[in-house]
Amino acid sequence: SAVISQKPSRDICQRGTSLTIQCQVDSQVTMMFWYRQQPGQSLTLIATANQGSEATYESGFVIDKFPISRPNLTFSTLTVSNMSPEDSSIYLCSAMMPGWNTEAFFGQGTRLTVV
Amino acid sequence: DQQVKQNSPSLSVQEGRISILNCDYTNSMFDYFLWYKKYPAEGPTFLISISSIKDKNEDGRFTVFLNKSAKHLSLHIVPSQPGDSAVYFCAAGSWYSGGGADGLTFGKGTHLIIQP
């Protein structure tokens, strides 16, 4: 298994500002992903964080709004830029271990409130 | 279009009995399926997964069954315990050539309540 640590665990931010969320995995992993869970909703994939190259974004998410870095196999960051109240969500980092029985692990999430 | 569906928002089961959580999917190209348990203010906890080429996987009290022809999977928890009360998410994913994988597609979750 993998242990994933996210920082910060929660934050309250002013609209128009940016927040960078950090994700640290305790072992090298091939794949890392970022998700969002809006209030009362399921988890929605934002992007795949590719090591050493630009992230791959899902429909409805763009790099200017959610820039992602992944400098190595254990660390990634997600920035929520120019925030508005609609960005208030839980943001989750995930790492996947490929195999016969695929496992994918999540951090504890970052609860973001934009005021 | 919701590709992974959990049609029961909530389920109440007596302690010691079997809990059965259901999940349907529409995309026949999914390669694997996973179940997660989530408490409020925590990230999802991985429970068990199954490859699309299997029909059953078991880990302790948790068993996942996959019926590909019906595009249906279920999670069985036996026996149910009070600590099992949580929201359970079904998720599905696909591999792509080169050894990578798409991110997961999640259902909306089922709130399982274990009654004493």
Side-chain angles (χ1 to χ4, degrees):
Chain A
S1 66
V3 177
I4 302 176
S5 302
Q6 269 185 249
K7 289 194 298 186
S9 58
R10 59 176 61 230
D11 207 342
I12 300 173
C13 300
Q14 296 290 324
R15 66 176 67 201
T17 63
S18 297
L19 176 71
T20 295
I21 303 168
Q22 297 182 2
C23 176
Q24 179 74 53
V25 188
D26 68 344
S27 57
Q28 293 187 344
V29 290
T30 308
M31 290 162 283
M32 294 181 72
F33 304 90
W34 287 96
Y35 293 82
R36 180 174 75 180
Q37 185 181 22
Q38 294 180 302
Q41 302 296 314
S42 186
L43 284 76
T44 300
L45 179 66
I46 297 172
T48 301
N50 300 310
Q51 193 263 327
S53 64
E54 200 170 276
T56 305
Y57 290 84
E58 297 299 304
S59 175
F61 299 96
V62 294
I63 187 170
D64 290 346
K65 177 67 175 177
F66 298 102
I68 287 170
S69 78
R70 190 175 172 199
N72 56 50
L73 292 175
T74 65
F75 186 78
S76 179
T77 67
L78 168 75
T79 299
V80 185
S81 303
N82 188 24
M83 288 184 284
S84 67
E86 292 71 34
D87 294 321
S88 297
S89 287
I90 298 173
Y91 292 86
L92 295 138
C93 170
S94 174
M96 183 175 286
M97 315 285 279
W100 187 246
N101 287 318
T102 300
E103 300 181 354
F105 302 94
F106 284 81
Q108 80 277 20
T110 297
R111 182 178 292 272
L112 171 63
T113 303
V114 183
V115 297
Chain B
D1 177 34
Q2 195 180 350
Q3 296 190 64
V4 177
K5 300 178 185 178
Q6 294 176 258
N7 292 319
S8 299
S10 66
L11 175 67
S12 184
V13 175
Q14 200 166 13
E15 181 180 355
R17 306 293 288 269
I18 183 172
S19 295
I20 300 176
L21 297 110
N22 293 304
C23 178
D24 297 297
Y25 62 95
T26 58
N27 185 351
S28 59
M29 301 303 291
F30 285 133
D31 295 312
Y32 51 90
F33 304 87
L34 308 92
W35 283 95
Y36 288 88
K37 172 181 179 181
K38 189 178 185 301
Y39 295 118
E42 294 185 10
T45 299
F46 171 78
L47 288 174
I48 192 169
S49 66
I50 187 167
S51 165
S52 63
I53 64 172
K54 291 187 171 182
D55 55 19
K56 177 182 175 181
N57 190 27
E58 189 171 357
D59 185 359
R61 295 188 298 117
F62 303 96
T63 303
V64 56
F65 296 92
L66 175 62
N67 182 335
K68 284 193 70 176
S69 60
K71 295 191 178 68
H72 177 84
L73 65 155
S74 60
L75 175 68
H76 293 210
I77 306 173
V78 183
S80 300
Q81 299 174 352
D84 295 331
S85 295
V87 177
Y88 287 77
F89 288 97
C90 170
S94 302
W95 298 109
Y96 54 77
S97 60
D102 294 331
L104 300 175
T105 301
F106 280 82
K108 291 190 173 182
T110 297
H111 185 193
L112 177 64
I113 302 163
I114 305 300
Q115 295 183 334

